[in-house]
Amino acid sequence: MNQVQILASVQTFLQRQHGHFIHGQHIEVDDTRTRIELINPATEQPVSSIAIGTKPDVEAAVNSAQDAFLNAWANTSPYERGQKLNKLADLVEQHAEELAQLETLTTGKLINLSRHLEVAQTVVFLRYFAGWATKIHGQTMQPSIPSANGEKYTAYTVRQPVGVVAGIVPWNFSLMIGCWKIGSALTTGCTIVLKPSEFTTLSLLRLAELAIEAGIPAGVINIVTGTGETGQYLIDSKKIKKVSFTGSVPTGIAIGKQAMHNDLTRVSLELGGKNAAAILADTQIDEILPTLLQASFVHQGQVCAAPERFFVHRSKYEEFIQKAAVALQQFKIGSPLDESSMFGPLSNKPHFEKVKHYLDLAHQNNQIICGGKVIAGTGYFVEPTLLTVRGIDDPLFIEETFGPVVDVIAFESDEELISMVNHSRFGLTASIWTNDLAKALRLIPQIEAGSVWVNMHTFLDPAVPFGGVKASGLGREFSDAFIEDYTELKSVMIRY
Ligand code: NAD
């Protein structure tokens, strides 16, 4: 057991009466209003509380972002924008332990995951976006209009920031996903109002303070805390020119409709998945198992890109389930603040109830291969679980559990594999595990998913576009793909 000591700075931050972060300042809110308690999912004890943003709170944040867009940020050169994002990344590095502890205390993420994935990747992404600030450009073109009297024509395009962006963030990787949106907005010259999840809000509130320290002008990043209703006020604002949402499919669809009604506000949606990992006949199970199980069960399966359906070639099925069950039973379940824990709690009570419902369903129908139990005592702990399925219409095959609950299904032929993989409303990610690269290359085009990995899964890299097909989303983040979403393409023609 190696229990982490909570930093004094974290304790002080938890004790603050948190409001919103608007125009570079912490905004006190009326104390008589209802607040949301933030619960540590490992102990079920409150750790802090946040305010519920009202319509006037949202309006104040949007007005500040609009003012900063037209004035402070518009007067900043691309080079300065890149520098300030890099400075923010420096400060995240300097405050890494503080941010990691805030994440772990409110999400139950293992402390080493908060440190080495959430915070470390936040730095990587911020620096990647910083680099784009000086590289966004248009094109020149030669119009084909005939010249009657010797006049000439030229044309060019310019990419201009859309304006104020609304970023709506889920609870699973609040800081990192929040910074995907901040990085994309700021590097293109947009400003942003973020609405973090009501379950994990603190790391983004702290980040907004660091942004001021980094020299990012007041109003460029604003945070309004609260529930889905607060998010709705944000999307309804006429001054919001783009909504960048990450979360569940039902919320994404509601937000998409609302944004369209609001004079066609641009919207990008990064939604859920029921991702497949296909383990082909030639695969050595011992070789792939640690990486595959890590991909599925990291952060207790609460990763949108993680595989929830393992398709195993019939010839390897028995070996696979036997070895996977042994490996999962060795996961050390424990406090997320204990550095030796391998598996922590689910992140919040409603999600715990949802996963329990799926486990109950699996028990009722004798589908448990291993795991399946809720851990008695305090905290939202369940065992990592493998299931059989009762056919392609089984809810456990169809619905995203977003938890440590993975189906294992045998297949015989490539045709059967592809038909089962694609039997889903989702299309976020997939992976193929094989040494037969020619076969993998033939399967890749047939898989309905935004990302396909070979011999790996859930590797998000800023240089590689990420997003879903079908109900898993609309639009792409990262690489140069995000630029189109955060800028308007203006065409200019000149006669001379
Ligand atoms: P959620 O949809 O319940 O909530 C996401 C955010 O939207 C929260 O901040 C919430 O307060 C807000 N919200 C809820 N209703 C709203 C409304 N009507 N208008 C505006 N805002 C509203 O999702 P969650 O439970 O926080 O996150 C889990 C889901 O997110 C899973 O489905 C997971 O797959 C998905 N996810 C996707 C990605 C991706 O990149 N594709 C990444 C992480 C999580």
Side-chain angles (χ1 to χ4, degrees):
M1 175 122 162
N2 193 0
Q3 193 78 9
V4 169
Q5 284 298 312
I6 300 299
L7 298 173
S9 57
V10 170
Q11 276 163 354
T12 310
F13 195 73
L14 293 174
Q15 280 156 18
R16 273 164 52 173
Q17 175 84 345
H18 294 287
H20 311 298
F21 193 86
I22 299 175
H23 212 68
Q25 287 175 25
H26 170 248
I27 303 293
E28 302 273 338
V29 294
D30 181 355
D31 270 356
T32 59
R33 279 200 228 148
T34 317
R35 296 178 64 81
I36 301 173
E37 277 196 326
L38 299 178
I39 305 292
N40 178 341
T43 62
E44 298 182 48
Q45 293 301 309
V47 287
S48 194
S49 73
I50 55 157
I52 302 177
T54 59
K55 200 165 182 202
D57 296 331
V58 168
E59 274 169 11
V62 174
N63 286 339
S64 165
Q66 171 85 344
D67 181 49
F69 173 67
L70 295 173
N71 298 298
W73 207 229
N75 294 327
T76 312
S77 71
Y79 175 74
E80 283 175 281
R81 292 205 298 270
Q83 268 198 323
K84 287 179 196 303
L85 277 171
N86 269 322
K87 178 75 184 148
L88 178 59
D90 293 343
L91 289 170
V92 171
E93 269 178 331
Q94 285 164 29
H95 293 266
E97 182 62 17
E98 185 186 338
L99 292 164
Q101 291 191 5
L102 286 174
E103 271 298 315
T104 289
L105 286 167
T106 51
T107 63
K109 190 174 290 144
L110 296 180
I111 186 67
N112 279 330
L113 193 64
S114 295
R115 288 170 179 157
H116 304 305
L117 197 148
E118 175 105 49
V119 178
Q121 282 299 101
T122 295
V123 172
V124 168
F125 275 94
L126 283 173
R127 293 205 193 288
Y128 180 82
F129 286 119
W132 268 112
T134 50
K135 294 165 195 71
I136 296 166
H137 57 74
Q139 293 175 310
T140 58
M141 46 277 286
Q142 189 61 53
S144 348
I145 306 170
S147 168
N149 300 303
E151 74 274 25
K152 292 192 172 178
Y153 299 89
T154 190
Y156 66 93
T157 58
V158 56
R159 288 216 164 261
Q160 294 184 300
V162 292
V164 181
V165 173
I168 300 187
V169 180
W171 46 259
N172 64 330
F173 285 94
S174 199
L175 181 72
M176 182 176 72
I177 294 176
C179 284
W180 295 350
K181 302 187 188 312
I182 288 174
S184 309
L186 269 56
T187 202
T188 49
C190 300
T191 58
I192 192 161
V193 180
L194 274 180
K195 209 296 283 169
S197 164
E198 52 272 48
F199 297 106
T200 164
T201 311
L202 299 185
S203 53
L204 281 172
L205 278 174
R206 183 69 187 109
L207 183 102
E209 293 179 343
L210 296 178
I212 295 295
E213 221 179 292
I216 294 173
V220 173
I221 301 174
N222 301 277
I223 313 276
V224 183
T225 65
T227 59
E229 201 179 346
T230 311
Q232 285 177 337
Y233 296 138
L234 190 53
I235 297 158
D236 260 347
S237 166
K238 291 283 174 213
K239 290 179 184 157
I240 293 294
K241 297 300 173 210
K242 178 195 160 48
V243 177
S244 175
F245 172 74
T246 303
S248 64
V249 172
T251 311
I253 291 173
I255 285 177
K257 284 184 188 164
Q258 201 187 340
M260 285 301 110
H261 279 296
N262 193 8
D263 288 345
L264 306 180
T265 307
R266 288 158 167 264
V267 63
S268 52
L269 305 169
E270 292 292 345
L271 309 178
K274 188 77 182 174
N275 310 306
I279 294 115
L280 306 193
D282 68 290
T283 309
Q284 297 304 312
I285 301 300
D286 291 323
E287 270 176 29
I288 66 154
L289 206 53
T291 320
L292 181 63
L293 295 182
Q294 166 74 5
S296 271
F297 292 97
V298 67
H299 195 20
Q300 293 72 257
Q302 302 164 124
V303 178
C304 60
E308 272 195 24
R309 296 181 299 163
F310 291 160
F311 294 94
V312 186
H313 190 267
R314 172 82 60 205
S315 62
K316 291 283 163 89
Y317 183 81
E318 288 306 326
E319 179 190 357
F320 182 87
I321 57 172
Q322 186 242 322
K323 289 183 171 167
V326 170
L328 288 179
Q329 277 148 16
Q330 286 161 7
F331 274 33
K332 184 185 165 215
I333 303 175
S335 162
L337 285 169
D338 177 351
E339 286 173 332
S340 68
S341 295
M342 294 167 68
F343 195 79
L346 295 172
S347 284
N348 56 68
K349 187 148 194 219
H351 189 54
F352 178 56
E353 296 300 335
K354 177 179 152 187
V355 172
K356 274 203 304 190
H357 156 78
Y358 286 117
L359 294 178
D360 287 346
L361 211 60
H363 278 292
Q364 280 160 27
N365 296 302
N366 289 325
Q367 289 173 257
I368 307 279
I369 297 171
C370 70
K373 289 200 209 68
V374 172
I375 312 284
T378 312
Y380 308 136
F381 292 90
V382 300
E383 290 178 335
T385 299
L386 293 180
L387 306 177
T388 58
V389 295
R390 292 177 301 134
I392 55 171
D393 294 323
D394 184 343
L396 289 160
F397 182 80
I398 290 173
E399 294 169 21
E400 181 192 38
T401 68
F402 204 52
V405 182
V406 178
D407 304 333
V408 194
I409 306 120
F411 71 92
E412 307 268 359
S413 66
D414 293 351
E415 293 69 31
E416 190 190 9
L417 169 68
I418 292 296
S419 129
M420 287 196 290
V421 165
N422 290 343
H423 183 80
S424 174
R425 71 187 294 223
F426 300 105
L428 192 58
T429 73
S431 59
I432 303 169
W433 300 75
T434 181
N435 291 314
D436 184 346
L437 197 52
K439 180 173 257 198
L441 287 169
R442 278 193 293 273
L443 292 175
I444 288 167
Q446 301 176 58
I447 294 176
E448 295 167 354
S451 296
V452 181
W453 290 285
V454 178
N455 296 326
M456 58 199 284
H457 202 126
T458 319
F459 279 77
L460 301 193
D461 188 287
V464 183
F466 179 67
V469 302
K470 303 201 281 189
S472 287
L474 206 59
R476 292 289 180 274
E477 303 201 86
F478 321 155
S479 181
D480 60 354
F482 76 97
I483 294 171
E484 199 171 317
D485 274 343
Y486 286 78
T487 57
E488 286 288 2
L489 189 64
K490 181 176 281 176
S491 299
V492 182
M493 275 180 77
I494 300 172
R495 182 171 62 184
Y496 62 98

